[in-house]
Every structure is written in C-alpha cells, then in structure tokens.
Amino acid sequence: MKNRLRVLRAERRWSQAELGERVGVSRQAVNAVETGKHDPSLTLAFALAGAFDLKIEDVFDPSGEAD
Amino acid sequence: MMAANARRYMLHFGSAMVLYMATLFGSVFLLESASFGPVVTGLVAVLPVLPGLGALWAVLTFYRSMDEFKQRLLAEAMIISALLTGFGTFAYGFLEGALELPPIPMIWIFPAMIGLWGLVGCFQKYVVYR
C-alpha cells in the first residue's frame, strides 16, 4: 500500500526506530510498512497517522503500491 | 540492546531447556539403572517432554508480545518449516520404499522442523525483509 511515511518522517527528522517507539512497534515493522512489504492493521495505521497528527487517508493510499 | 520481551523469552525458554536436560538425564539414568513395567517405563521415557510444555508457553508468550509484523514473520516461518518438514518426510517415505533407504527415526522430525523454522527465520530477516 502506498504511503507517505518516509517523507513525513524526513520532515520531522525521525528515524524509523523513533517512529516505531512512538507507535509501539519495532524499527523493522516501520521499515516493512514504509517499503510496502507489510500492510498495517487498522490499529497500526491509525497509530502511525496519529503520530503525525494526520488522518489515515493523508498517510496511506490504498490505490497504489509503495514507492 | 535486547528488548525486554526477548530477554524474558530467553529466561523462560532457557529455564525450560535446563529442566529438559535435567529430566532427560534423569530419565535415561532411571531407564538404564532399573527395570520397570511398560507403563512406568513409558512414563519415565516421555518425562523430558513435560519441560517442553514450558518451552511452548515461553514461545507463545514471546509471540504474543511481538508487534504485528514480527508475528507475521514468525508465523510464516513456522508454516513454511512445517510444510517443508511434512512434505520432505513424506517424500522420503516414498523413496524409502522405492530405493530401500534406511528409515529415519521419528525423534528427528521435531528437531528438523525447529531447525528449519530457524533457517527460514534467518532467510526472512537477512534476505527478504533486510
């Protein structure tokens, strides 16, 4: 699933590990979501969007593959 | 640094394995040093499996403490290793009959499955989801 995690992280200068810590998952999980190797559950998707104070549809786009 | 859940797992799993080794040696010693009826012999022989239940609990607790991505990896690795072991031993069964190969003792099936689980896990970690 296409997402803007990498860009949003870069804007805030957060590492994958830091984002993972904020939402309670591992760095590997963040990396897998970011690269489209893992489609997050609804709970994780909401948590990730919430970490950036954004709506879920502002972070994830189910219509496309990740970059 | 190792995560807290991984440390807990190492402690629980390690304790189960120490107990397993102790009961294994105890069981072998008892079976070699005395002679019992078939029921007691059977019970003493499977005694080392009991601490295995402790290991099973440790693995389940660890699995439940993981995030969803790691749970997926672990479950996938388990499914792949179970299928590989199943089909591998099934195929060997055919070859055993056709080529008169020596039979493999059943005691090796579980270690083979666990070993494959580890190998598949390494492949996932270092190749697929690096």
Side-chain angles (χ1 to χ4, degrees):
Chain A
M1 185 160 54
K2 202 169 180 174
N3 64 76
R4 296 177 53 226
L5 286 179
R6 193 182 296 272
V7 175
L8 292 167
R9 259 194 326 104
E11 284 172 1
R12 287 157 182 80
R13 297 174 188 274
W14 291 349
S15 65
Q16 290 180 335
E18 200 174 343
L19 175 58
E21 214 167 282
R22 284 170 186 267
V23 298
V25 298
S26 60
R27 182 200 63 77
Q28 292 91 335
V30 172
N31 183 56
V33 172
E34 205 171 278
T35 54
K37 288 176 177 169
H38 176 67
D39 285 338
S41 67
L42 207 49
T43 312
L44 179 56
F46 271 116
L48 286 166
F52 296 110
D53 284 322
L54 291 170
K55 289 181 183 168
I56 203 164
E57 59 267 33
D58 296 329
V59 179
F60 295 98
D61 175 9
S63 63
E65 292 287 311
D67 298 330
Chain B
M1 201 178 113
M2 196 185 276
N5 64 342
R7 271 201 310 272
R8 251 192 329 272
Y9 167 68
M10 294 297 283
L11 179 71
H12 292 161
F13 190 81
S15 308
M17 285 300 102
V18 168
L19 211 58
Y20 166 76
M21 292 300 286
T23 50
L24 181 68
F25 283 118
S27 164
V28 171
F29 174 77
L30 272 176
L31 291 175
E32 283 181 354
S33 61
S35 129
F36 308 102
V39 175
V40 176
T41 302
L43 285 174
V44 172
V46 297
L47 206 61
V49 173
L50 286 180
L53 296 176
L56 177 106
W57 172 76
V59 172
L60 266 183
T61 309
F62 186 45
Y63 176 81
R64 287 173 181 158
S65 72
M66 290 173 164
D67 64 49
E68 60 180 51
F69 174 66
K70 289 193 170 180
Q71 281 185 343
R72 198 190 101 192
L73 291 194
L74 200 71
E76 271 183 16
M78 186 73 239
I79 291 168
I80 291 169
S81 73
L83 285 174
L84 283 177
T85 309
F87 282 115
T89 51
F90 200 59
Y92 191 85
F94 285 125
L95 291 173
E96 201 181 306
L99 302 175
E100 292 180 17
L101 295 175
I104 300 176
M106 288 216 334
I107 201 163
W108 290 111
I109 292 179
F110 184 62
M113 198 166 78
I114 297 300
L116 270 172
W117 189 16
L119 281 179
V120 174
C122 287
F123 184 75
Q124 287 174 320
K125 187 172 180 180
Y126 297 110
V127 180
V128 184
Y129 297 105
R130 197 155 48 108

